[in-house]
C-alpha cells in the first residue's frame, strides 16, 4: 500500500534515482529524491525527522501539498523493516543493500585507479586501449590505463550509458548510508579489495621499471589531451571510498601508502 501510494503521487519523480535496480527501495527513493539530491546523495541519520531539511524550498510543513507523503513517515517504515525480524521484504532489502555496497566499492576502486594513473602520468594513457576491460588487474598498468580511458570515454560520449551508471552509483551510495544508519553492518568488499591490491602491485612494478614515473616532467611529456574534470570522474561514488576504507582500513592503507601521490590525489578530490 505504501509503494502504491508513493508511486501514484510521485509519478513525475524518480528521474534522479535508480528504481529499476533497487526495486525494494523504490518507494523510499522516490519519497526522498529531493532530499538526496540536495545532500549529494548522502543520508544523515535523523534527517528524516527534521521536517525543515525535507523541504527543499524551505516552506513550512503546513504549506506542503497534502498529497505529498512525508519522508519522515516513510523512512521509519524502511528502518523498522531493516531492523526487524527476517522476512521476504527484509531479505529483498538486504540483498539490494549488499548489491549497493558492491557497486560503490567497485566504482570507488575504479576512480582510485584513474587517480593513480593520473599521478603516474598515464592519464591520458600512452596508447589507445582496447575493450578487454580494466578489471583485469593482471595486465600491465599502462594497459589498464588504456582500458580505463576507453571506459571513461564511453561513459562520456554515450549519455545513455554514462548517466545510467552515474545514477546507479549515487543511488547505491544513498542506500548504503541509509542502511548503515539503520544499524546494518558493512560487508567484506573482497572483490574490490583484491582488485585494488592487485592494481597497486602493477603500479609498483611500473614505478620500478619507469624512472621518474609520476614526476611533473614525466606527466607533461606524456600528456596528449586534457583529462576530464575530476568532478565528472568521481561523481556520487565518492562515498564508496569511505565505505572501502572503513571496512578494510588495513588493506586500504597498505595499498595506498605504496603510492603516496595516488593517496594525495584521490583523497584531495573525495575528502577522505
Amino acid at each position: 500500500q505504501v509503494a502504491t501510494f508513493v508511486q501514484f503521487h510521485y509519478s513525475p519523480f524518480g528521474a534522479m534515482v535508480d528504481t529499476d535496480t533497487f526495486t525494494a527501495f523504490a518507494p523510499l527513493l522516490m519519497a526522498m529524491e529531493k532530499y538526496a539530491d540536495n545532500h549529494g546523495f548522502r543520508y544523515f541519520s535523523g534527517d528524516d525527522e527534521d521536517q525543515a531539511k525535507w523541504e527543499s524550498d524551505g516552506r513550512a510543513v503546513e504549506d506542503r501539498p497534502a498529497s505529498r507523503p512525508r519522508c519522515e513517515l516513510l523512512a521509519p517504515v524502511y528502518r523498522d523493516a531493516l531492523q526487524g525480524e527476517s522476512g521476504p521484504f527484509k531479505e529483498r532489502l538486504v540483498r539490494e543493500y549488499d548489491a549497493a555496497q558492491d557497486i560503490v566499492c567497485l566504482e570507488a576502486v575504479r576512480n582510485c585507479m584513474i587517480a593513480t594513473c593520473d599521478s603516474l602520468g598515464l592519464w591520458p594513457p600512452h596508447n589507445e586501449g582496447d575493450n578487454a576491460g580494466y578489471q583485469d588487474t593482471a595486465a600491465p598498468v599502462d594497459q589498464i590505463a588504456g582500458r580505463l580511458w576507453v571506459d571513461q570515454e564511453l561513459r562520456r560520449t554515450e549519455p545513455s550509458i554514462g548517466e545510467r551508471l552515474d545514477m546507479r552509483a549515487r543511488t547505491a551510495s544513498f542506500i548504503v548510508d541509509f542502511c548503515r544508519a539503520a544499524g546494518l553492518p558493512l560487508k567484506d568488499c573482497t572483490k574490490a579489495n583484491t582488485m585494488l591490491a592487485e592494481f597497486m602491485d602493477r603500479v609498483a612494478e611500473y614505478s620500478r621499471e619507469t624512472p621518474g614515473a609520476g614526476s611533473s616532467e614525466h606527466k607533461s611529456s606524456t600528456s596528449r589531451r586534457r583529462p576530464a574534470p575530476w568532478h565528472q570522474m568521481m561523481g556520487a561514488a565518492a562515498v564508496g571510498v569511505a565505505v572501502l576504507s572503513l571496512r578494510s582500513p588495513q588493506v586500504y592503507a597498505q595499498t595506498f601508502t605504496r603510492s603516496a601521490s595516488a593517496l594525495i590525489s584521490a583523497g584531495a578530490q573525495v575528502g577522505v
Side-chain angles (χ1 to χ4, degrees), residues 129-158:
D130 53 43
N131 295 318
Y134 64 87
Q135 297 87 349
D136 179 13
T137 48
V141 70
D142 53 345
Q143 189 173 349
I144 294 174
R147 293 169 178 175
L148 278 165
W149 184 269
V150 169
D151 180 77
Q152 183 65 21
E153 286 295 287
L154 179 64
R155 296 187 183 205
R156 183 182 67 83
T157 58
E158 296 290 341

Side-chain angles (χ1 to χ4, degrees), residues 51-68:
Q51 297 171 341
K53 290 186 177 181
W54 165 236
E55 283 301 315
S56 60
D57 56 5
R59 289 178 298 169
V61 174
E62 56 269 19
D63 294 333
R64 293 186 298 190
S67 61
R68 179 180 296 173

